[in-house]
Amino acid sequence: LEQAGYDVSLYGVTYPCSGGEQLVRSLPDMYDGYMKGFALVERTNVTYGGQQHGWRAAVSQVMTDVNNATDWYDYYIISRWDLVTENHSTPEFWKCVLDGQPVARHFGHLTGYTTDSGWGHLNMDFIMVVPGILMANLYSMLLTNPERCCETSYMGPACVNCADNLNGDAGTTEAAPKVCPFLEASLRLSKNAPPVTTVSPPAAEV
């Protein structure tokens, strides 16, 4: 992003970690001064869709800076801590997808998929790109109707529909899917968190 001509800052939100509190609080220092805001939030009691709680806390940090006129960015990229890039994205890719249009885009949109066509191909809510002009709309959605951003239903779409709903609420008319010729594979993401192993107790003999 910096090579594409953008100034970059980070806002981070995570949960307290039992037995690793010092590590969690050291996260901002790992980003060499890029971390502009950081907060620990308590976990919610919902089984699914807890992202809306973390997203709301992160966007709240942004809006505090905006309302205090301390900073403003052309774009905000919402992502996860536990992602790794499988390749090195290029400045040309970011210059293509950050095209100045007032349209929010999820990961699928950045690789040419509509929401309907992207299912089964990639995790579309790994990242969402939100133009600065739409951040107030996103914050309002997270405060008043967060289910339109990240659903809490079992086996639901999680945060996939957030970009489309945000665009609809904002009256955006530009197409969300973005095709960048010869750059389609410029951004590949995967989780690097270790898998969770569940161990069942042995069956009792009767």
Side-chain angles (χ1 to χ4, degrees), residues 22-39:
Q22 185 174 355
L23 175 62
V24 169
R25 292 192 177 278
S26 69
L27 280 171
D29 295 332
M30 299 180 185
Y31 288 86
D32 296 328
Y34 283 98
M35 190 72 71
K36 184 174 178 60
F38 180 72

Side-chain angles (χ1 to χ4, degrees), residues 55 58-59 76-80 125-130 135 138 142:
W55 283 34
V59 175
Y76 294 87
I77 300 175
I78 302 175
S79 187
R80 305 169 53 107
D125 60 354
F126 268 179
I127 62 174
M128 186 170 79
V129 177
V130 184
M135 283 299 285
L138 176 60
L142 289 167

Side-chain angles (χ1 to χ4, degrees), residues 1-200:
L1 282 169
E2 288 181 323
Q3 291 176 14
Y6 288 93
D7 293 327
V8 177
S9 294
L10 302 176
Y11 294 85
V13 171
T14 191
Y15 304 114
C17 178
S18 59
E21 190 72 18
Q22 185 174 355
L23 175 62
V24 169
R25 292 192 177 278
S26 69
L27 280 171
D29 295 332
M30 299 180 185
Y31 288 86
D32 296 328
Y34 283 98
M35 190 72 71
K36 184 174 178 60
F38 180 72
L40 293 178
V41 296
E42 294 298 325
R43 288 185 179 274
T44 64
N45 59 1
V46 298
T47 305
Y48 305 98
Q51 299 100 317
Q52 61 181 233
H53 184 57
W55 283 34
R56 184 166 52 239
V59 175
S60 176
Q61 293 183 63
V62 170
M63 297 310 298
T64 296
D65 279 357
V66 170
N67 293 332
N68 291 335
T70 58
D71 231 329
W72 182 257
Y73 292 87
D74 294 327
Y75 294 94
Y76 294 87
I77 300 175
I78 302 175
S79 187
R80 305 169 53 107
W81 291 101
D82 60 349
L83 293 182
V84 60
T85 54
E86 298 177 356
N87 62 331
H88 293 290
S89 61
T90 64
E92 290 73 23
F93 172 77
W94 291 109
K95 288 177 181 178
C96 175
V97 298
L98 304 180
D99 57 1
Q101 300 299 321
V103 53
R105 293 182 167 110
H106 56 51
F107 187 30
H109 293 147
L110 300 184
T111 52
Y113 290 105
T114 65
T115 300
D116 288 340
S117 66
W119 294 108
H121 292 280
L122 71 174
N123 287 66
M124 290 182 280
D125 60 354
F126 268 179
I127 62 174
M128 186 170 79
V129 177
V130 184
I133 196 172
L134 297 184
M135 283 299 285
N137 300 76
L138 176 60
Y139 191 42
S140 176
M141 180 190 294
L142 289 167
L143 288 175
T144 62
N145 195 355
E147 290 290 321
R148 286 179 54 75
C149 188
C150 297
E151 294 188 21
T152 56
S153 59
Y154 172 68
M155 297 296 288
C159 305
V160 170
N161 292 324
C162 191
D164 288 340
N165 288 336
L166 177 59
N167 291 331
D169 290 352
T172 298
T173 57
E174 288 78 7
K178 186 70 181 177
V179 177
C180 299
F182 309 110
L183 297 172
E184 290 85 352
S186 292
L187 183 63
R188 294 194 297 270
L189 302 173
S190 62
K191 286 186 180 182
N192 66 352
V196 176
T197 301
T198 302
V199 179
S200 299

